[in-house]
Amino acid sequence: MTTHTKHGSRSRKAVYALMIAGLLGATALTGTISHAGTEATKTQISLNTAPASGFADLVETVMPSVVSVQSKYAPVASREGEGPQNRRWQFQFGFPQGSPFEQFFRNQPGQNGGAMPRPHRRNATSQGSGFIISEDGYLVTNNHVIKDANEVSVKFSDGRELDAKVIGTDPKTDLALLKIDSNDKFTPIKFAADKPRVGDWVVAVGNPFGLGGTVTTGIISAAGRDIGAGPYDDFLQIDAPINRGNSGGPAFNLKGEVIGVNTAIFSPSGGSVGIGFAIPASTAEAIIADLKDDGNVTRGWLGVQIQKVSEDIASSIGLDEPSGTLVAAVTEGSPAEKSGLRTGDTILKVNGADIKGPKELSREVAGLKPGTSVDMTVFRDGKQRDIKVSICEMPSEKQASLNPGRDSGPAADQKLGLALAPAEDGEGVVVADVMPGSPAAEQGIRQGDVILEVDGAFVDQPEAVVAAIRQSAVKSGKSPVLLLVKNDRGQRFIALKIAKG
C-alpha cells in the first residue's frame, strides 16, 4: 500500500493541469508541444518600435508570413473520443490506449461529456499555426498538427489558401517542415541570432480557436523550463496569451525576429492563464535545417541510461555536492562502452562544460554530429578522470521488457523492508515484496524490481544483498547504501537509507 500525502495530491493535480493545457492549448482540436526553425533569410526586418508607440508596424510587417495550418483526415468509422485527436494525445504524452489518462481526457468537456460513445463516420480536421521561412514556401508547424493527415493546406491573412506537402517531421520535438505547393514567392521571417532575456517584450501571432491571424503581447517570464514534454525540454516561458490553435506559431521580439515557437500552455481549463511555453529559436533552427536536408533529424548517441544525482546519491559515491549525471546502465556495443564508461560513473563535464543533470547531457550529446570526438570528465571511485568518446548516430529506439520470477525467497531484516528471491536468469536478485512505509518503499523500490549491485558489487543471491548492505551500512558506517535496480523501465541507482539500531 502506498501512502499519498497532501503535497503529492497537489503535485498530481498540477501535472494533470499541465497535461490538459498542453493537450487543449495547441490547436483548435488538440494541444501539443511544438518547435520551429530554418535557415536565416535574406530579408532583414529592421524595427525598433517602443511598446509605448504600439506594435502595429511590427505586426503589419510579419503578418503576411504567419499562416493557419489545416489538416484533413480520410472519413473513418470511429467512436466519439477515438479520432486523430485522441491518437495525438497518446502519441504526444505517451500514455497507452486504455490507460486511466485516456479515460480522464475523454471525460473532459467536448469529449462526449462522459456519455457512451457512438459509432459514426466523419471527416476529421485539426487546425494550428505556422510561419514561412523561405521565399519558395517552406514553413514550420508542429508534427501533431499534420500527423496522419491525408491533406494539408495553409491559409494566409489575405485569404489565400494553398495546398502543402510534408517534407519531414521530428516527433521528439513535435516539429514538422512543410512546403507550399506553389511557384509564388512568399515573405519569409528570420530567427533571432541574439538569445532572448527574461523581461524582454514578446509578440505572439497565431490561429487561436481557428479565428485566423491574432496578435497577443507580453514578456518572457522565465527561461530553461522543463515541463516534462520530452528529453530536450528547454522552454521559454511567456505570459503573452496563448490558446488552442496557437501552437506552431511564432513569438517575435521587437525587431520582428522569431525568438521561439509557441508550443504549450499551463491551464486548468484549456484557455490562457498567462503561462505559455515556446521552443527557443536556437534549438529549433538546427532541427529544421536537418529536416530540410533529408527529411530526418540526425542526433548524436552516447548509449547510456542516466539519472539525476540526488544529495543521498552524492553522499553515497563521495561527491561533495549533487552535480553531473549518473550512469545507470551502459548499452552493449555503444560509444560509451567502447570508450570505457562504466555503470556508476558520474559524468561531470563534456568538452569542459559543466553538466548539471540528465537534461543537459541529453541535449549536449544529441546536438553533436556523429563521428565527433568529445572529452568527458567523470567521477569514479572517488576520483575525477578524463575519457575520450567518439559519438555515433542515434539508432532506432528499442524497448526491453523484464519478467522476473516471483518465487518467494528469504527475507531481509525489517530494517531493509524487502523480501528477496534469486532471479531466474541468475542476473541479480528479485524483490518479492516490499514492506509498506519501509525505507525501500519510500525510495520507490517495487515488487518485481531486480537488484543488480550493492555499492558497486554484483549480487545474485538474497543473502548476498543483505550481507553487502549490512557490511556497507554497519561495518563501514556508510549510509545511505547505493543500489543498482532494474525494472521494465530500465536501470537506476537508489540511495537506500538503513534504519539504525
Side-chain angles (χ1 to χ4, degrees), residues 276-288:
F277 301 97
I279 302 299
S282 58
T283 300
E285 196 166 7
I287 296 173
I288 288 299

Side-chain angles (χ1 to χ4, degrees), residues 251-264:
F252 295 101
N253 60 19
L254 296 186
K255 296 179 182 179
E257 300 168 333
V258 177
I259 62 171
V261 184
N262 303 320
T263 181

Side-chain angles (χ1 to χ4, degrees), residues 260-278:
V261 184
N262 303 320
T263 181
I265 63 173
F266 183 96
S267 172
S269 62
S272 174
V273 294
I275 301 178
F277 301 97

Side-chain angles (χ1 to χ4, degrees), residues 111-293:
Q111 296 303 310
N112 200 32
M116 291 296 292
R118 299 184 302 275
H120 64 289
R121 298 182 65 86
R122 63 177 181 178
N123 288 301
T125 63
S126 68
Q127 294 182 2
S129 302
F131 55 95
I132 305 296
I133 59 174
S134 67
E135 289 185 349
D136 55 351
Y138 282 95
L139 66 96
V140 175
T141 187
N142 287 347
N143 176 62
H144 82 275
V145 174
I146 52 84
K147 178 178 169 59
D148 298 330
N150 286 54
E151 299 177 20
V152 180
S153 62
V154 298
K155 188 173 184 179
F156 291 80
S157 57
D158 61 7
R160 286 181 300 163
E161 188 167 355
L162 299 170
D163 292 334
K165 60 181 179 181
V166 178
I167 301 300
T169 63
D170 180 37
K172 288 182 181 294
T173 57
D174 194 19
L175 177 66
L177 177 66
L178 310 183
K179 175 69 167 62
I180 298 175
D181 187 12
S182 172
N183 293 322
D184 295 343
K185 285 192 175 182
F186 301 93
T187 304
I189 46 181
K190 63 173 291 184
F191 287 93
D194 297 331
K195 184 177 181 179
R197 300 179 302 165
V198 174
D200 282 350
W201 280 95
V202 62
V203 178
V205 183
N207 180 38
F209 305 111
L211 296 173
T214 299
V215 181
T216 56
T217 63
I219 64 168
I220 297 175
S221 50
R225 291 297 199 205
D226 180 352
I227 63 174
Y232 310 116
D233 281 16
D234 187 23
F235 290 93
L236 298 173
Q237 181 181 321
I238 63 177
D239 70 351
I242 304 297
N243 289 289
R244 287 179 289 172
N246 271 115
S247 191
F252 295 101
N253 60 19
L254 296 186
K255 296 179 182 179
E257 300 168 333
V258 177
I259 62 171
V261 184
N262 303 320
T263 181
I265 63 173
F266 183 96
S267 172
S269 62
S272 174
V273 294
I275 301 178
F277 301 97
I279 302 299
S282 58
T283 300
E285 196 166 7
I287 296 173
I288 288 299
D290 234 3
L291 289 177
K292 191 173 183 181
D293 182 46

Side-chain angles (χ1 to χ4, degrees), residues 253-497:
N253 60 19
L254 296 186
K255 296 179 182 179
E257 300 168 333
V258 177
I259 62 171
V261 184
N262 303 320
T263 181
I265 63 173
F266 183 96
S267 172
S269 62
S272 174
V273 294
I275 301 178
F277 301 97
I279 302 299
S282 58
T283 300
E285 196 166 7
I287 296 173
I288 288 299
D290 234 3
L291 289 177
K292 191 173 183 181
D293 182 46
D294 60 4
N296 296 292
V297 174
T298 301
R299 290 185 169 92
W301 181 59
L302 180 59
V304 292
Q305 291 181 24
I306 53 178
Q307 69 180 83
K308 182 179 179 180
V309 178
S310 65
E311 290 187 4
D312 286 343
I313 289 177
S315 175
S316 298
I317 62 179
L319 273 176
D320 293 335
E321 60 181 2
S323 61
T325 184
L326 187 63
V327 177
V330 177
T331 302
E332 184 178 355
S334 67
E337 184 188 52
K338 293 177 181 178
S339 69
L341 276 172
R342 302 177 185 174
T343 299
D345 285 349
T346 301
I347 300 174
L348 301 176
K349 297 177 183 290
V350 174
N351 282 340
D354 290 337
I355 298 298
K356 297 180 180 179
K359 288 288 185 182
E360 286 78 7
L361 182 64
S362 295
R363 288 195 295 264
E364 186 72 24
V365 172
L368 296 171
K369 292 183 178 180
T372 301
S373 182
V374 298
D375 292 317
M376 292 190 175
T377 301
V378 304
F379 185 81
R380 178 192 299 169
D381 298 331
K383 298 179 181 179
Q384 289 191 19
R385 61 186 69 201
D386 293 325
I387 295 177
K388 188 173 288 293
V389 184
S390 181
I391 300 299
C392 292
E393 182 176 345
M394 182 179 291
S396 299
E397 293 184 2
K398 298 178 181 179
Q399 294 183 343
S401 60
L402 179 68
N403 296 301
R406 289 293 195 272
D407 294 338
S408 60
D413 55 37
Q414 293 189 358
K415 293 179 184 178
L416 191 57
L418 295 174
L420 306 171
E424 290 184 353
D425 59 6
E427 294 187 6
V429 175
V430 177
V431 176
D433 198 6
V434 183
M435 182 185 297
S438 66
E442 291 176 356
Q443 289 298 317
I445 296 178
R446 298 290 182 264
Q447 184 184 54
D449 287 352
V450 178
I451 300 173
L452 300 176
E453 296 179 2
V454 178
D455 272 345
F458 174 76
V459 290
D460 58 1
Q461 294 295 326
E463 296 86 351
V465 173
V466 178
I469 289 176
R470 285 177 176 171
Q471 180 178 4
S472 180
V474 179
K475 292 184 179 180
S476 303
K478 186 178 179 181
S479 183
V481 177
L482 198 63
L483 307 183
L484 179 60
V485 178
K486 180 180 180 180
N487 56 29
D488 58 358
R489 296 182 298 278
Q491 292 181 192
R492 63 187 176 116
F493 282 97
I494 293 177
L496 185 63
K497 292 183 178 179

